[in-house]
């Protein structure tokens, strides 16, 4: 499902919130009310207290790209003090975040590959000189127009041929 979406969020400027704290640590973090209060009191990070829904427990994991560079976080918040995340839930959450990171990395790799393929296809088709992609057995896989003009053949004809068909007998 995630792969079907075309939207990958753009990076935003780094601030001093919980997202940046988790990204800086580079691992899953579980902050209990005492941790959140301490961080707020020490002004290590700006953690605004929302009057309607104060966060009691905060669980977050960094999301990283293919170079292991943080690109954001995935987080869960419990709004009632009588709830807590179990160790098993924290471990499962870490695994899910790692899988989301892999999906993001795969998407970025697919986008880069598509861009590279488009660049190669344009360079190949727009080249002023004859070019061909040839299999290890010598069969033409792809040919460009200048090569066809040079050899006096249509692309369809060349694609049925082998390099041996065009090579002088003494050069074999």
């Amino acid at each position: 499902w995630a792969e079907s979406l075309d939207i990958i969020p753009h990076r935003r400027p780094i601030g001093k919130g919980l997202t940046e704290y988790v990204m800086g640590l580079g691992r899953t973090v579980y902050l209990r009310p005492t941790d959140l209060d301490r961080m707020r009191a020490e002004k290590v990070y700006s953690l605004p207290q929302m009057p309607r829904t104060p966060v009691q427990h905060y669980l977050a994991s960094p999301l990283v790209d293919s170079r292991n560079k943080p690109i954001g976080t995935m987080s869960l918040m419990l709004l009632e003090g009588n709830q807590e995340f179990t160790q098993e839930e924290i471990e499962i959450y870490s695994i899910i975040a790692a899988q989301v990171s892999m999906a993001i990395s795969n998407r970025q790799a697919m986008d880069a590959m598509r861009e590279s393929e488009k660049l190669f296809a344009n360079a190949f088709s727009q080249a002023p000189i004859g070019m061909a992609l040839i299999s290890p057995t010598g069969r033409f896989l792809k040919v460009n127009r200048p090569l066809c003009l040079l050899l006096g053949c249509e692309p369809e004809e060349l694609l049925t041929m082998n390099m041996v068909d065009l090579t002088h007998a003494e050069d074999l």
Side-chain angles (χ1 to χ4, degrees), residues 6-63:
D6 283 338
I7 300 169
I8 294 179
H10 294 286
R11 288 195 166 100
R12 65 172 176 81
I14 300 293
K16 293 190 87 177
L18 290 174
T19 297
E20 291 78 12
Y21 177 73
V22 173
M23 289 170 64
L25 286 177
R27 61 177 172 76
T28 298
V29 177
Y30 178 27
L31 299 173
R32 292 172 174 81
T34 54
D35 302 317
L36 293 166
D37 290 342
R38 178 184 48 78
M39 291 172 70
R40 193 176 295 108
E42 294 173 1
K43 297 187 186 308
V44 174
Y45 291 91
S46 80
L47 304 171
Q49 185 73 284
M50 298 183 293
R52 289 181 299 198
T53 56
V55 174
Q56 296 296 316
H57 295 267
Y58 180 80
L59 176 62
S61 291
L63 299 175

Side-chain angles (χ1 to χ4, degrees), residues 71-98:
I71 57 172
T73 64
M74 189 171 86
S75 61
L76 291 174
M77 293 171 246
L78 296 177
L79 304 178
E80 296 181 17
N82 60 350
Q83 299 174 313
E84 281 200 27
F85 293 107
T86 66
Q87 187 58 40
E88 182 182 19
E89 290 170 330
I90 294 168
E91 289 170 11
I92 290 170
Y93 190 77
S94 292
I95 293 168
I96 292 169

Side-chain angles (χ1 to χ4, degrees), residues 128-162:
I129 59 170
M131 297 174 70
L133 293 178
I134 300 171
S135 77
T137 61
R139 190 173 70 77
F140 286 99
L141 300 173
K142 185 175 178 79
V143 295
N144 70 355
R145 196 77 187 129
L147 181 64
C148 294
L149 293 172
L150 177 70
L151 299 175
C153 300
E154 289 299 316
E156 298 78 24
E157 183 182 358
L158 272 176
L159 293 174
T160 64
M161 301 172 85
N162 192 300

